[in-house]
Amino acid sequence: MTTTTIIYIIIALIIALFLALFQYKFREKKKLTGIYILLFSLRTLTIFGVLLLLINPKFRQSTSYNVKPNLVIAVDNSESIEHLGRTESAKNFLSDLKNSQELNNTFNVEYYTFGSKLNQSDTLNFKENKSNLAMVFDRLEEVYNSDVSPTIVVTDGNQTFGRDYVLASRSFKQQIYPVILGDTTVFTDLKIQQLNANRYSYLNNRFPVEVIAVYNGSENVNTKLNIRSGSAIVYSQPLQFSGNKNSEVVSFTLSANSVGIAKYSAEIVPLEEEKNKINNYKEFAVEVINQKTNVAIITDIIHPDLGTFKKSIESNKQRSAEILKPNEFLSRLNDFQMAIIYQPKQSFKAVLDAVENAKMNKLLVTGPSTSFQALNSFQSNFQQEITNQTEDYQPVLDNNYSIFNIDKIDFNDYPPLKSEFGSLTFTQPLQTILYKSINGIKINEPLLATFEYGNSKEALLNGEGIWKWRAQSFRSTGDFEAFDDFFGKLIQYLSTNQPRSRISVNYESIYRETDEILITAQYFNKGYEFDGGAVLNIVLKNKVTDETSTFPLVINASNYQIDLSGLLSPGDYDFTVSVSGENLSRSGQISILDYNVEQQFLNADVNRLNQLATNSNGKSYFIDNSSSIINDLINDSRYATIQKSNKNIVPLIDWKYLLAIIVLSLASEWFIRKYNGLI
């Protein structure tokens, strides 16, 4: 409370005394004796209270409280813990922490489990088929960034995906206490560290395979690498290892003799004394196809868009692209199944005529270098108003586009494309993928659209600068996958002349057991509009056992989908997606490879967990002698309970009792005067 406020309060008291004195001494001419002293006091109190409310002095209010540090406990819930035989050790350790009264009195204890994701839970089942320890530190950093929160990580240190967790922990500001689920015993072991093979191959070609074999031991050993297709050995090579030679890279090629999914298994013949023989085997598969889509990119200018088209098309190994000048394309017309015609001019008439005569589908790209006068005369599918002015147009996605599914890309932050200013009119029915937008205002004109006429399909991209979109995709997500997937679907649509179907299914032919096995479908009504009210089911049949399984697909935004992760055992499956009440279905086949990365480990990664503790000023413990961790944490001076205080400025007007006093004093004065006949 300031000096000025105190002066105001004194003046208020004087004024209250003066007004009360004026009321009873001078106005009513009463002697201040007996009951009048009480009435005088009540009137003074009332006036003084009202004046205090007007002055509204402020008071400081202090409260103290104790703040305990957090203790974060994250337990590895992956299958590798069960594989190493440490599940009971982990559960017993967690139980000891829960039952320690002194630990719970010292810390606010929070429990988490992790595998591919971090969950706030203390329930363990060791069924997670992936583990990402780096993600644990990233997520905990978001929650416990400003608090004292030492972190216990109960794990074997074997991470199966994600960035390096030792590096990730450098930005984590808390002390880390790894509790190691394992020991330092070194076992003799052979394993396939890595196997690299193409996902696709072409019929009657040979495809490369690379196997990295690793030996953990000190003795000289001899073994053999066998590659099997079914029961037949299609490749074999002897291997020798020693204490000085503990790895070997084996490269070879295999033949693609028949169309479809070709499954193989790689095996390093195990030693008798090996403890873990699971990691000696690895399955892989190659999809053999008999056709490759060749795309011609035809242009007579140099622009970064051309490289973007080529890279995006060739991100799918089933496609290739070449950048050609018009005369080069005309001489090799029969080598290509589709054409991208980039910013055509007068000299492109022969190209457009050749593409039209060959019934070849095309993507036409226009921009500032396009001769629209020539283009308008070369074809009649659309006409561009010629203004000789350009404008930058932002893309706006049409969520009702129904020819193929667009669900992995968000165009909201994508940069504009430069295009001719003026109206664009079509003579063919079209479906718009992207509309134009200027300054956030959507224009009812297409920036990207598809249309069909006769037996041909065509797309128009009415803008230059698509290279910026692929760059934006990388900036937003760290890779080009979203853009390449979107552009790949456009190319896939244009590269075939098959009639349009009311049901389409998207899937990968080959999955690993630990992959996300996601199958999506789209269903359209007879007007080829997406229908979200249908019932779609998928029937899967195991090719070996003939066992069938049926699952419903659930609606998700603009498609139907089913996540089969964990629902199917490894093997080959035929499937059919059908629509209830309609004679519509689509069939395919998938292959799920038997590979559990969590079962590839023989020991805990002790060295890296020790490094994790050292870098964070923590300490590592083995699970078998971890009882001391509770003692160490309780006695660590860094984790003492801190007393904090809050100081609040409270205005008097918030003090409700003052209003009650004013009302009570007024009521009392009135009652006394009434009772004594003074009113």
Side-chain angles (χ1 to χ4, degrees):
M1 191 183 302
T2 64
T3 304
T4 303
T5 304
I6 294 173
I7 293 172
Y8 285 154
I9 292 172
I10 294 171
I11 293 172
L13 180 59
I14 294 171
I15 292 172
L17 288 168
F18 176 77
L19 291 175
L21 192 64
F22 175 78
Q23 174 69 26
Y24 286 102
K25 179 68 177 174
F26 299 105
R27 186 177 176 185
E28 297 189 10
K29 300 185 183 300
K30 305 292 183 181
K31 291 184 178 181
L32 295 180
T33 58
I35 195 172
Y36 291 104
I37 294 177
L38 178 58
L39 293 172
F40 169 78
S41 300
L42 290 172
R43 179 60 62 89
T44 302
L45 182 60
T46 300
I47 297 171
F48 182 60
V50 172
L51 292 175
L52 278 180
L53 288 176
L54 294 174
I55 297 169
N56 194 23
K58 296 177 176 60
F59 302 91
R60 290 184 180 178
Q61 186 181 60
S62 296
T63 56
S64 298
Y65 58 96
N66 293 329
V67 177
K68 295 192 294 185
N70 299 308
L71 177 62
V72 181
I73 301 168
V75 186
D76 191 338
N77 198 32
S78 65
E79 291 181 354
S80 65
I81 307 302
E82 185 173 20
H83 183 63
L84 293 176
R86 294 290 178 170
T87 57
E88 289 304 315
S89 299
K91 290 179 179 178
N92 291 338
F93 175 72
L94 199 61
S95 179
D96 290 342
L97 296 181
K98 291 180 181 178
N99 294 330
S100 174
Q101 192 63 44
E102 195 171 1
L103 186 72
N104 286 277
N105 289 337
T106 306
F107 295 95
N108 294 317
V109 185
E110 300 286 347
Y111 295 93
Y112 294 86
T113 63
F114 68 90
S116 58
K117 298 179 180 179
L118 182 69
N119 302 301
Q120 189 165 15
S121 171
D122 59 359
T123 302
L124 299 171
N125 56 22
F126 305 104
K127 297 300 182 185
E128 295 276 352
N129 55 22
K130 294 180 182 178
S131 52
N132 184 354
L133 193 49
M135 171 273 304
V136 173
F137 298 123
D138 291 340
R139 298 294 177 268
L140 292 179
E141 177 69 15
E142 296 172 2
V143 180
Y144 302 101
N145 183 39
S146 57
D147 299 326
V148 177
S149 306
T151 302
I152 298 175
V153 182
V154 186
T155 181
D156 59 5
N158 293 316
Q159 178 172 280
T160 58
F161 80 106
R163 61 195 180 104
D164 185 277
Y165 63 80
V166 175
L167 292 177
S169 69
R170 293 186 182 277
S171 61
F172 189 60
K173 299 177 182 178
Q174 311 296 340
Q175 290 76 39
I176 302 171
Y177 295 87
V179 176
I180 304 170
L181 290 166
D183 53 42
T184 57
T185 305
V186 178
F187 299 97
T188 300
D189 186 53
L190 287 168
K191 71 174 179 178
I192 297 176
Q193 179 72 28
Q194 189 169 332
L195 191 151
N196 301 316
N198 289 347
R199 196 175 185 90
Y200 301 98
S201 182
Y202 296 97
L203 186 64
N204 299 323
N205 282 1
R206 295 185 69 85
F207 59 92
V209 181
E210 181 182 72
V211 177
I212 302 175
V214 175
Y215 169 65
N216 185 25
S218 57
E219 302 294 327
N220 295 336
V221 296
N222 296 308
T223 185
K224 186 183 290 186
L225 171 66
N226 292 326
I227 306 297
R228 297 179 185 271
S229 176
S231 59
I233 296 178
V234 295
Y235 180 83
S236 182
Q237 179 174 325
L239 301 176
Q240 293 181 334
F241 297 100
S242 65
N244 296 323
K245 181 190 176 185
N246 58 12
S247 66
E248 185 168 345
V249 179
V250 183
S251 299
F252 52 94
T253 60
L254 298 175
S255 297
N257 298 321
S258 60
V259 174
I261 299 174
K263 292 182 66 175
Y264 300 89
S265 61
E267 171 201 20
I268 298 178
V269 178
L271 306 173
E272 288 185 8
E273 63 270 25
E274 277 194 75
K275 183 178 179 181
N276 183 6
K277 297 181 181 181
I278 294 176
N279 58 12
N280 292 53
Y281 301 87
K282 187 168 288 190
E283 284 191 336
F284 66 101
V286 175
E287 185 175 2
V288 181
I289 53 181
N290 62 2
Q291 184 178 359
K292 186 171 186 175
T293 302
N294 296 318
V295 181
I297 305 172
I298 309 159
T299 183
D300 63 356
I301 65 173
I302 297 174
H303 196 278
D305 282 355
L306 304 172
T308 293
F309 289 136
K310 181 174 173 62
K311 286 183 178 294
S312 185
I313 290 169
E314 294 184 343
S315 66
N316 185 323
K317 301 303 181 185
Q318 299 180 62
R319 304 187 184 111
S320 66
E322 290 188 55
I323 301 173
L324 304 168
K325 291 187 178 297
N327 59 336
E328 294 174 330
F329 168 73
L330 292 172
S331 65
R332 297 176 54 197
L333 176 66
N334 295 329
D335 293 343
F336 303 97
Q337 289 77 49
M338 188 201 136
I340 297 177
I341 302 175
Y342 189 77
Q343 304 217 43
K345 300 178 181 178
Q346 185 70 40
S347 59
F348 277 66
K349 186 177 189 310
V351 170
L352 288 166
D353 288 344
V355 169
E356 189 70 25
N357 293 333
K359 304 296 182 184
M360 186 183 294
N361 297 333
K362 62 181 177 290
L363 167 62
L364 195 59
V365 184
T366 62
S369 299
T370 302
S371 173
F372 283 103
Q373 186 173 2
L375 186 59
N376 287 343
S377 65
F378 292 163
Q379 51 80 44
S380 59
N381 293 326
F382 61 86
Q383 295 290 298
Q384 171 69 55
E385 180 185 1
I386 301 172
T387 62
N388 295 319
Q389 298 180 49
T390 60
E391 182 62 74
D392 291 335
Y393 293 103
Q394 298 278 158
V396 177
L397 179 65
D398 183 356
N399 293 315
N400 295 318
Y401 185 77
S402 60
I403 293 179
F404 53 82
N405 187 29
I406 304 171
D407 58 355
K408 292 185 178 180
I409 190 166
D410 182 2
F411 289 95
N412 290 335
D413 298 326
Y414 273 49
L417 302 185
K418 189 173 291 295
S419 181
E420 180 81 3
F421 178 76
S423 62
L424 179 66
T425 57
F426 281 80
T427 59
Q428 300 287 350
L430 77 156
Q431 285 220 10
T432 302
I433 302 175
L434 299 171
Y435 282 101
K436 294 178 179 178
S437 171
I438 301 178
N439 297 325
I441 301 173
K442 175 183 168 184
I443 301 173
N444 195 28
E445 285 189 9
L447 184 64
L448 175 61
T450 59
F451 51 94
E452 300 180 17
Y453 54 96
N455 293 322
S456 299
K457 299 176 183 177
E458 186 171 331
L460 173 66
L461 175 61
N462 192 19
E464 172 190 276
I466 199 172
W467 68 270
K468 300 175 186 176
W469 289 7
R470 195 167 190 260
Q472 180 64 38
S473 174
F474 185 88
R475 183 179 179 184
S476 300
T477 63
D479 57 44
F480 302 108
E481 183 179 348
F483 176 84
D484 289 347
D485 179 72
F486 163 73
F487 192 70
K489 288 179 179 178
L490 178 62
I491 297 300
Q492 182 179 7
Y493 164 72
L494 293 172
S495 61
T496 176
N497 282 322
Q498 292 180 354
R500 188 175 173 190
S501 172
R502 288 174 54 200
I503 181 171
S504 62
V505 181
N506 294 316
Y507 63 97
E508 297 288 339
S509 299
I510 303 166
Y511 299 92
R512 290 193 182 277
E513 185 182 3
T514 53
D515 290 344
E516 180 185 48
I517 306 173
L518 192 66
I519 296 177
T520 63
Q522 282 191 306
Y523 167 69
F524 308 103
N525 61 24
K526 292 181 180 179
Y528 285 97
E529 298 171 329
F530 177 75
D531 187 347
V535 177
L536 272 66
N537 295 294
I538 183 170
V539 179
L540 297 112
K541 179 181 179 181
N542 189 301
K543 289 185 177 181
V544 175
T545 64
D546 287 335
E547 181 182 353
T548 61
S549 303
T550 303
F551 302 99
L553 279 73
V554 296
I555 186 71
N556 178 33
S558 60
N559 62 34
Y560 294 83
Q561 68 177 29
I562 175 70
D563 188 352
L564 298 170
S565 308
L567 298 178
L568 301 176
S569 57
D572 298 324
Y573 294 85
D574 291 324
F575 72 84
T576 300
V577 176
S578 59
V579 183
S580 295
E582 293 261 12
N583 188 24
L584 289 173
S585 64
R586 277 290 175 270
S587 299
Q589 61 177 1
I590 60 174
S591 182
I592 302 174
L593 304 182
D594 184 9
Y595 178 68
N596 190 330
V597 67
E598 291 289 339
Q599 295 181 357
Q600 304 301 305
F601 305 107
L602 193 63
N603 296 94
D605 197 339
V606 177
N607 292 334
R608 289 169 61 73
L609 291 175
N610 285 335
Q611 186 180 355
L612 189 66
T614 302
N615 291 348
S616 65
N617 295 318
K619 184 179 178 182
S620 61
Y621 302 82
F622 283 98
I623 192 69
D624 296 330
N625 63 348
S626 59
S627 56
S628 59
I629 188 172
I630 296 176
N631 236 5
D632 292 347
L633 288 170
I634 291 171
N635 296 320
D636 196 320
S637 59
R638 292 176 294 181
Y639 312 133
T641 299
I642 300 172
Q643 187 178 70
K644 292 187 176 182
S645 63
N646 278 339
K647 291 185 178 180
N648 297 323
I649 304 299
V650 182
L652 186 64
I653 199 169
D654 290 342
W655 196 52
K656 298 177 182 179
Y657 295 109
L658 179 58
L659 182 61
I661 292 171
I662 294 172
V663 172
L664 184 62
S665 63
L666 276 173
S668 299
E669 183 183 0
W670 180 87
F671 180 79
I672 293 171
R673 288 171 63 89
K674 184 71 174 177
Y675 184 80
N676 290 278
L678 299 176
I679 296 179

